[in-house]
């Protein structure tokens, strides 16, 4: 029974191993298919025509740039960088949820002679690129530049930008950083005083390269830490990309977000407020000096605007005392015209009567 039991167990183990290995065998082709790839509808076309570029295995929802580049082959990549590509006629495309894309690309002559390639590379996120051989009909063809033998440098660590912005940068001074990276010599000869190219680009524009030489010698199999200065133009702000190139090949790219110089904006706001106020005060002073003056040296002012001032400055006139009226015929107070009740009623004055006590007293002595 034990022998029989052993025979029974062996097929069971074989079946179990088959169940485990079959899924793994199915996964292997999928992982190989995830490598970015590009296919062209035509391998050759003339200027003015177009081709269809399809790709698979890219990162989902990734933004890609498609260019026709000269002086390049898939084995060596784009030797002259994007400066050897027809950047004005390039196309951008976004991959779908599965990492596939299809885009129509117009054929244009690159600034460098063929051999040419269709170069596809990611714009943002993790860097990935691939090339497909392509021939531009009618374009000049020249041999590729010789590949440098001996020492070859390769970036061993991720690049980084050291430094920070100061107060002057807040007021428009050129932002500056230090590009730090580590390279190793993977060739068979020493590299002495290597010359790197550092480029800065803004948005989708091509980088502007600047040569910088590092003083030192890197022996075969050795590595060195290199620091190169990077500086932008005055008042620069936004999203920039710092690229490192050596031997005609781009070694690394580093994003750089530059803040807006708000001090410059504040300066212009204050200038727009202070200058008009100063001009207004100077204009009022000029108007006050050229205004005509009166006989006493005082400025003649508009009556409608300065009446309150004139009213205040005028002396107050008190009413003149009224002298009491004297009459040649004195009368008693109750016979005055203002106190006679008959005057108010009839409007006439009555003469004194002869039989009044005053009249009789005056006529007595005669």
């Amino acid at each position: 029974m034990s022998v029989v039991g052993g025979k029974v167990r062996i097929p069971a183990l074989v079946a179990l191993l088959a169940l485990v290995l079959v899924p793994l065998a199915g996964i292997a082709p999928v992982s190989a298919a995830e490598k970015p790839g590009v296919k062209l509808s035509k391998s050759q076309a003339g200027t003015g025509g177009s081709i269809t570029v399809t790709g698979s295995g890219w990162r989902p929802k990734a933004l890609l740039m498609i260019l026709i580049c000269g002086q390049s082959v898939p084995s060596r990549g784009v030797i002259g960088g994007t400066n050897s590509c027809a950047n004005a006629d390039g196309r951008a495309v976004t991959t779908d949820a599965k990492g596939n894309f299809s885009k129509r690309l117009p054929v244009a002559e690159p600034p460098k002679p063929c051999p040419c390639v269709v170069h596809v590379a990611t714009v943002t996120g993790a860097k990935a690129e691939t090339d497909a051989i392509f021939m531009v009909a009618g374009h000049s063809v020249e041999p590729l530049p010789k590949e440098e033998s001996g020492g070859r440098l390769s970036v061993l660590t991720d690049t980084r930008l050291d430094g920070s912005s100061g107060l002057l940068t807040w007021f428009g001074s050129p932002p500056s950083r230090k590009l730090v990276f580590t390279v190793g010599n993977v060739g068979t000869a020493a590299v002495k005083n290597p010359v790197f190219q550092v480029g800065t680009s803004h948005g989708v524009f091509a980088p502007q390269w600047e040569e910088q030489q590092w003083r030192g010698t890197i022996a075969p199999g050795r590595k060195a830490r290199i620091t190169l200065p990077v500086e932008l133009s005055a008042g620069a702000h936004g999203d920039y990309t710092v690229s490192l190139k050596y031997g005609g090949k781009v070694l690394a790219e580093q994003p750089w977000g530059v803040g807006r110089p708000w001090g410059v904006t504040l300066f212009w706001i204050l200038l727009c407020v202070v200058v008009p106020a100063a001009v207004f005060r100077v204009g009022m002073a000029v108007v006050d000096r050229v205004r005509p003056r009166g006989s006493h040296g005082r400025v003649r002012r508009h009556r409608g605007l300065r009446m309150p001032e004139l009213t205040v400055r005028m002396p107050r006139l008190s009413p003149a005392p009224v002298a009491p009226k004297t009459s040649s015929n004195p009368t008693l107070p109750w016979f005055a015209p203002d106190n006679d009740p008959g005057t108010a009623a009839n409007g006439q004055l009555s003469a004194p009567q002869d039989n009044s006590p005053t009249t009789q007293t005056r006529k007595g002595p005669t």
Side-chain angles (χ1 to χ4, degrees), residues 229-272:
V230 182
E231 185 176 283
L232 301 178
S233 59
H237 62 277
D239 295 330
Y240 285 80
T241 301
V242 180
S243 303
L244 177 67
K245 185 166 62 173
Y246 177 76
K249 185 177 181 180
V250 178
L251 301 180
E253 292 181 344
Q254 179 68 30
W256 183 8
V258 184
R260 182 181 294 272
W262 292 108
V264 178
T265 305
L266 180 61
F267 170 78
W268 284 110
I269 293 176
L270 294 177
L271 189 65
C272 293

Side-chain angles (χ1 to χ4, degrees), residues 2-361:
S2 61
V3 175
V4 175
K7 292 180 179 180
V8 173
R9 288 173 185 162
I10 291 174
L13 293 175
V14 172
L16 180 61
L17 290 175
L19 292 175
V20 174
L21 294 177
V22 168
L24 293 178
I27 294 175
V30 175
S31 60
E34 290 180 354
K35 184 179 179 180
V38 172
K39 293 182 180 181
L40 307 179
S41 61
K42 299 178 183 179
S43 60
Q44 180 177 351
T47 304
S50 62
I51 59 174
T52 302
V53 183
T54 58
S56 60
W58 296 85
R59 190 174 67 252
K61 302 299 181 181
L63 180 61
L64 308 178
M65 179 62 70
I66 307 175
L67 300 171
I68 296 179
C69 304
Q71 202 177 29
S72 307
V73 291
S75 59
R76 294 182 59 179
V78 181
I79 298 176
T82 54
N83 290 334
S84 61
C85 303
N87 297 307
D89 297 290
R91 292 293 183 269
V93 64
T94 303
T95 59
D96 57 15
K98 296 182 180 180
N100 303 327
F101 72 90
S102 179
K103 188 68 175 180
R104 197 170 186 84
L105 177 67
V107 178
E109 293 185 353
K112 297 291 183 178
C114 284
C116 302
V117 296
V118 173
H119 180 71
V120 183
T122 55
V123 178
T124 58
K127 184 178 180 181
E129 59 184 13
T130 187
D131 301 319
I133 192 69
F134 181 72
M135 182 64 185
V136 180
H139 193 51
S140 60
V141 179
E142 296 181 5
L144 295 176
K146 294 182 179 181
E147 189 174 2
E148 295 181 0
S149 59
R152 291 184 302 169
L153 298 182
S154 177
V155 176
L156 303 179
T157 60
D158 294 336
T159 59
R160 72 174 188 271
L161 292 173
D162 289 348
S164 60
S165 300
L167 182 62
L168 295 180
T169 306
W170 202 68
F171 284 94
S173 179
S176 61
R177 293 289 188 276
K178 292 182 178 180
L179 182 64
V180 182
F181 57 95
T182 301
V183 296
N185 187 354
V186 297
T188 58
V191 178
K192 184 178 181 180
N193 300 331
V195 177
F196 296 93
Q197 287 182 312
V198 179
T200 56
S201 59
H202 183 54
V204 297
F205 295 98
Q208 298 179 355
W209 300 99
E210 179 183 359
E211 291 187 353
Q212 297 188 15
Q213 187 176 23
W214 181 77
R215 299 290 181 178
T217 302
I218 306 174
R222 298 291 183 176
K223 61 181 181 179
R225 185 184 180 188
I226 299 177
T227 302
L228 300 176
V230 182
E231 185 176 283
L232 301 178
S233 59
H237 62 277
D239 295 330
Y240 285 80
T241 301
V242 180
S243 303
L244 177 67
K245 185 166 62 173
Y246 177 76
K249 185 177 181 180
V250 178
L251 301 180
E253 292 181 344
Q254 179 68 30
W256 183 8
V258 184
R260 182 181 294 272
W262 292 108
V264 178
T265 305
L266 180 61
F267 170 78
W268 284 110
I269 293 176
L270 294 177
L271 189 65
C272 293
V273 173
V274 173
V275 170
V279 171
F280 176 77
R281 292 181 63 88
V282 171
M284 293 301 296
V286 172
V287 170
D288 189 66
R289 290 183 63 88
V290 302
R291 185 178 297 174
R293 300 176 179 272
S295 59
H296 298 285
R298 295 182 180 179
V299 179
R300 293 181 180 178
R301 305 181 186 275
H302 196 277
R303 294 182 178 182
L305 298 177
R306 308 303 296 178
M307 281 301 294
E309 182 179 351
L310 295 176
T311 305
V312 174
R313 292 184 179 181
M314 289 179 60
R316 295 183 178 180
L317 301 178
S318 57
V322 179
K325 295 181 180 181
T326 57
S327 177
S328 57
N329 297 324
T331 57
L332 293 178
W334 54 83
F335 286 104
D338 296 337
N339 297 333
D340 188 7
T343 305
N346 301 326
Q348 296 180 356
L349 296 178
S350 58
Q353 301 295 331
D354 295 339
N355 56 357
S356 61
T358 305
T359 308
Q360 292 178 3
T361 305

